[in-house]
Amino acid sequence: MTSELLDQALVEEATKKSGLIWVKGAGAPAARALWHAWHEGAACVVGDGPGEQSLAGLTDGGTAEVVVRGKDKGGRLVDWTATVSELAPGSPEWEATVAELKGKRLNASDGEAMTGRWARECRVLRLVPTGGLLPLPDGSLAEPPMPTPATTRQPIPAGLPRLLLKRRGRKRA
């Protein structure tokens, strides 16, 4: 009994203090980093709308694997399984959860109208721990990057370092 309570406390504290969690839904090719808020015993996430994070692979009634990393060094702290439940917009649970998420949302373009947009266009999910921890993996977990339309920068022009060093030299004199 005490082992279960310690596991539950570890999951809660580590997840509360982590800025991101890595979540892999059933059938998803890889885990995704999601910002979240811990509310009433679950990690709550919002997404799948314009300008919001993707919740691909997370379905209502499904399961997910959650990896929590530390803020200081980024090392893996704990892995746990969760059941996924989608909250109905406008329900009391949805309102309470969105109030928590709203405080964690950074750089929202629509400010106070954000919750209305979430109700119309997004999904709010609760990831409830099922109890017990997953064993930490052995070996490398390196995976290739996920496909993205983003590109890397072009090489810098050959003369740029000289120009930058010349400007620094003038400032010192």
Side-chain angles (χ1 to χ4, degrees):
M1 181 69 172
T2 57
S3 175
E4 291 174 12
L5 291 175
L6 289 174
D7 288 352
Q8 181 181 358
L10 176 62
V11 165
E12 183 172 343
E13 283 303 310
T15 307
K16 273 184 187 179
K17 293 181 180 192
S18 178
L20 291 173
I21 54 177
W22 292 84
V23 181
K24 180 180 179 185
R32 291 186 176 273
L34 301 177
W35 67 270
H36 68 287
W38 185 267
H39 181 66
E40 295 182 356
C44 302
V45 295
V46 61
D48 282 350
E52 298 295 340
Q53 60 193 353
S54 171
L55 303 177
L58 298 176
T59 58
D60 189 23
T63 61
E65 293 179 11
V66 180
V67 175
V68 180
R69 296 186 175 275
K71 284 178 117 174
D72 56 349
K73 303 279 186 191
R76 181 180 290 232
L77 295 177
V78 64
D79 293 10
W80 50 278
T81 57
T83 57
V84 180
S85 61
E86 185 169 349
L87 301 177
S91 68
E93 297 86 13
W94 187 89
E95 294 290 341
T97 301
V98 164
E100 276 300 310
L101 286 166
K102 184 178 176 184
K104 299 279 187 169
R105 177 64 163 99
L106 302 175
N107 304 325
S109 60
D110 49 358
E112 292 300 316
M114 174 175 52
T115 56
R117 179 174 53 85
W118 285 353
R120 289 186 313 274
E121 302 170 358
C122 296
R123 296 188 308 145
V124 176
L125 304 177
R126 285 177 46 86
L127 306 174
V128 182
T130 58
L133 304 177
L134 295 173
L136 293 177
D138 292 331
S140 173
L141 298 175
E143 292 185 24
M146 296 187 73
T148 176
T151 60
T152 57
R153 297 184 319 171
Q154 300 296 321
I156 62 171
L160 185 61
R162 233 175 318 137
L163 289 172
L164 293 175
L165 291 175
K166 185 185 281 187
R167 286 186 186 159
R168 282 190 193 158
R170 288 182 185 164
K171 287 182 182 177
R172 290 181 192 165

